PDB file of all heavy atoms in Angstrom:
ATOM      1  N   ALA A 379     -25.479  43.580  13.876  1.00  0.00           N
ATOM      2  CA  ALA A 379     -24.369  42.928  13.180  1.00  0.00           C
ATOM      3  C   ALA A 379     -23.810  41.775  14.000  1.00  0.00           C
ATOM      4  O   ALA A 379     -23.550  40.684  13.474  1.00  0.00           O
ATOM      5  CB  ALA A 379     -23.275  43.944  12.872  1.00  0.00           C
ATOM      6  N   LEU A 380     -23.628  42.006  15.314  1.00  0.00           N
ATOM      7  CA  LEU A 380     -23.042  40.977  16.165  1.00  0.00           C
ATOM      8  C   LEU A 380     -23.999  39.804  16.387  1.00  0.00           C
ATOM      9  O   LEU A 380     -23.619  38.636  16.263  1.00  0.00           O
ATOM     10  CB  LEU A 380     -22.645  41.590  17.513  1.00  0.00           C
ATOM     11  CG  LEU A 380     -21.574  42.696  17.452  1.00  0.00           C
ATOM     12  CD1 LEU A 380     -21.336  43.295  18.833  1.00  0.00           C
ATOM     13  CD2 LEU A 380     -20.278  42.152  16.867  1.00  0.00           C
ATOM     14  N   THR A 383     -24.539  37.689  13.244  1.00  0.00           N
ATOM     15  CA  THR A 383     -23.434  36.756  12.984  1.00  0.00           C
ATOM     16  C   THR A 383     -23.566  35.508  13.849  1.00  0.00           C
ATOM     17  O   THR A 383     -23.342  34.385  13.386  1.00  0.00           O
ATOM     18  CB  THR A 383     -22.093  37.449  13.272  1.00  0.00           C
ATOM     19  OG1 THR A 383     -21.969  38.590  12.415  1.00  0.00           O
ATOM     20  CG2 THR A 383     -20.934  36.509  13.013  1.00  0.00           C
ATOM     21  N   GLU A 388     -24.703  35.112   9.684  1.00  0.00           N
ATOM     22  CA  GLU A 388     -24.521  36.073   8.600  1.00  0.00           C
ATOM     23  C   GLU A 388     -23.075  36.581   8.625  1.00  0.00           C
ATOM     24  O   GLU A 388     -22.558  36.931   9.695  1.00  0.00           O
ATOM     25  CB  GLU A 388     -25.495  37.243   8.752  1.00  0.00           C
ATOM     26  CG  GLU A 388     -26.939  36.829   8.566  1.00  0.00           C
ATOM     27  CD  GLU A 388     -27.907  37.977   8.786  1.00  0.00           C
ATOM     28  OE1 GLU A 388     -27.519  38.970   9.430  1.00  0.00           O
ATOM     29  OE2 GLU A 388     -29.050  37.870   8.312  1.00  0.00           O
ATOM     30  N   PRO A 389     -22.435  36.645   7.467  1.00  0.00           N
ATOM     31  CA  PRO A 389     -21.046  37.108   7.431  1.00  0.00           C
ATOM     32  C   PRO A 389     -20.932  38.561   7.869  1.00  0.00           C
ATOM     33  O   PRO A 389     -21.771  39.386   7.523  1.00  0.00           O
ATOM     34  CB  PRO A 389     -20.660  36.936   5.954  1.00  0.00           C
ATOM     35  CG  PRO A 389     -21.953  36.965   5.210  1.00  0.00           C
ATOM     36  CD  PRO A 389     -22.957  36.330   6.119  1.00  0.00           C
ATOM     37  N   LEU A 390     -19.905  38.866   8.652  1.00  0.00           N
ATOM     38  CA  LEU A 390     -19.724  40.227   9.135  1.00  0.00           C
ATOM     39  C   LEU A 390     -18.536  40.885   8.452  1.00  0.00           C
ATOM     40  O   LEU A 390     -18.691  41.716   7.583  1.00  0.00           O
ATOM     41  CB  LEU A 390     -19.558  40.220  10.660  1.00  0.00           C
ATOM     42  CG  LEU A 390     -19.400  41.587  11.344  1.00  0.00           C
ATOM     43  CD1 LEU A 390     -20.560  42.484  10.993  1.00  0.00           C
ATOM     44  CD2 LEU A 390     -19.288  41.403  12.850  1.00  0.00           C
ATOM     45  N   GLY A 391     -17.342  40.476   8.792  1.00  0.00           N
ATOM     46  CA  GLY A 391     -16.152  41.053   8.174  1.00  0.00           C
ATOM     47  C   GLY A 391     -15.800  42.396   8.788  1.00  0.00           C
ATOM     48  O   GLY A 391     -16.670  43.155   9.225  1.00  0.00           O
ATOM     49  N   TRP A 392     -14.496  42.704   8.797  1.00  0.00           N
ATOM     50  CA  TRP A 392     -14.033  43.940   9.412  1.00  0.00           C
ATOM     51  C   TRP A 392     -14.491  45.180   8.650  1.00  0.00           C
ATOM     52  O   TRP A 392     -14.778  46.223   9.257  1.00  0.00           O
ATOM     53  CB  TRP A 392     -12.513  43.924   9.525  1.00  0.00           C
ATOM     54  CG  TRP A 392     -12.013  42.969  10.574  1.00  0.00           C
ATOM     55  CD1 TRP A 392     -11.360  41.788  10.378  1.00  0.00           C
ATOM     56  CD2 TRP A 392     -12.155  43.114  11.993  1.00  0.00           C
ATOM     57  NE1 TRP A 392     -11.082  41.171  11.580  1.00  0.00           N
ATOM     58  CE2 TRP A 392     -11.548  41.963  12.593  1.00  0.00           C
ATOM     59  CE3 TRP A 392     -12.714  44.074  12.816  1.00  0.00           C
ATOM     60  CZ2 TRP A 392     -11.511  41.778  13.965  1.00  0.00           C
ATOM     61  CZ3 TRP A 392     -12.681  43.890  14.198  1.00  0.00           C
ATOM     62  CH2 TRP A 392     -12.072  42.757  14.749  1.00  0.00           C
ATOM     63  N   ALA A 393     -14.580  45.074   7.323  1.00  0.00           N
ATOM     64  CA  ALA A 393     -14.987  46.237   6.533  1.00  0.00           C
ATOM     65  C   ALA A 393     -16.436  46.624   6.844  1.00  0.00           C
ATOM     66  O   ALA A 393     -16.752  47.801   7.060  1.00  0.00           O
ATOM     67  CB  ALA A 393     -14.831  45.936   5.041  1.00  0.00           C
ATOM     68  N   ARG A 394     -17.303  45.626   6.889  1.00  0.00           N
ATOM     69  CA  ARG A 394     -18.715  45.899   7.172  1.00  0.00           C
ATOM     70  C   ARG A 394     -18.900  46.405   8.593  1.00  0.00           C
ATOM     71  O   ARG A 394     -19.655  47.354   8.843  1.00  0.00           O
ATOM     72  CB  ARG A 394     -19.525  44.627   6.937  1.00  0.00           C
ATOM     73  CG  ARG A 394     -21.022  44.794   7.062  1.00  0.00           C
ATOM     74  CD  ARG A 394     -21.747  43.626   6.390  1.00  0.00           C
ATOM     75  NE  ARG A 394     -23.119  43.548   6.812  1.00  0.00           N
ATOM     76  CZ  ARG A 394     -23.582  42.732   7.743  1.00  0.00           C
ATOM     77  NH1 ARG A 394     -22.746  41.908   8.352  1.00  0.00           N
ATOM     78  NH2 ARG A 394     -24.846  42.710   8.073  1.00  0.00           N
ATOM     79  N   LEU A 395     -18.207  45.794   9.547  1.00  0.00           N
ATOM     80  CA  LEU A 395     -18.292  46.246  10.931  1.00  0.00           C
ATOM     81  C   LEU A 395     -17.758  47.665  11.069  1.00  0.00           C
ATOM     82  O   LEU A 395     -18.336  48.495  11.786  1.00  0.00           O
ATOM     83  CB  LEU A 395     -17.510  45.296  11.837  1.00  0.00           C
ATOM     84  CG  LEU A 395     -17.513  45.648  13.333  1.00  0.00           C
ATOM     85  CD1 LEU A 395     -18.929  45.662  13.891  1.00  0.00           C
ATOM     86  CD2 LEU A 395     -16.644  44.671  14.125  1.00  0.00           C
ATOM     87  N   ILE A 398     -20.394  50.138   9.873  1.00  0.00           N
ATOM     88  CA  ILE A 398     -21.498  50.270  10.825  1.00  0.00           C
ATOM     89  C   ILE A 398     -21.093  51.112  12.023  1.00  0.00           C
ATOM     90  O   ILE A 398     -21.812  52.025  12.444  1.00  0.00           O
ATOM     91  CB  ILE A 398     -21.972  48.872  11.271  1.00  0.00           C
ATOM     92  CG1 ILE A 398     -22.610  48.125  10.093  1.00  0.00           C
ATOM     93  CG2 ILE A 398     -22.957  48.977  12.431  1.00  0.00           C
ATOM     94  CD1 ILE A 398     -22.898  46.663  10.372  1.00  0.00           C
ATOM     95  N   ALA A 515     -28.796  44.346   9.733  1.00  0.00           N
ATOM     96  CA  ALA A 515     -27.783  45.366  10.039  1.00  0.00           C
ATOM     97  C   ALA A 515     -27.584  46.304   8.856  1.00  0.00           C
ATOM     98  O   ALA A 515     -27.420  47.517   9.026  1.00  0.00           O
ATOM     99  CB  ALA A 515     -26.465  44.691  10.418  1.00  0.00           C
ATOM    100  N   VAL A 561     -19.408  47.961   0.346  1.00  0.00           N
ATOM    101  CA  VAL A 561     -19.114  46.581   0.759  1.00  0.00           C
ATOM    102  C   VAL A 561     -20.265  45.646   0.420  1.00  0.00           C
ATOM    103  O   VAL A 561     -20.061  44.504  -0.018  1.00  0.00           O
ATOM    104  CB  VAL A 561     -18.851  46.547   2.284  1.00  0.00           C
ATOM    105  CG1 VAL A 561     -18.726  45.102   2.769  1.00  0.00           C
ATOM    106  CG2 VAL A 561     -17.582  47.314   2.623  1.00  0.00           C
TER     107      VAL A 561
END
Side-chain angles (χ1 to χ4, degrees):
L380 298 176
T383 300
E388 293 177 340
L390 182 56
W392 288 109
R394 186 162 163 261
L395 180 60
I398 293 170
V561 173

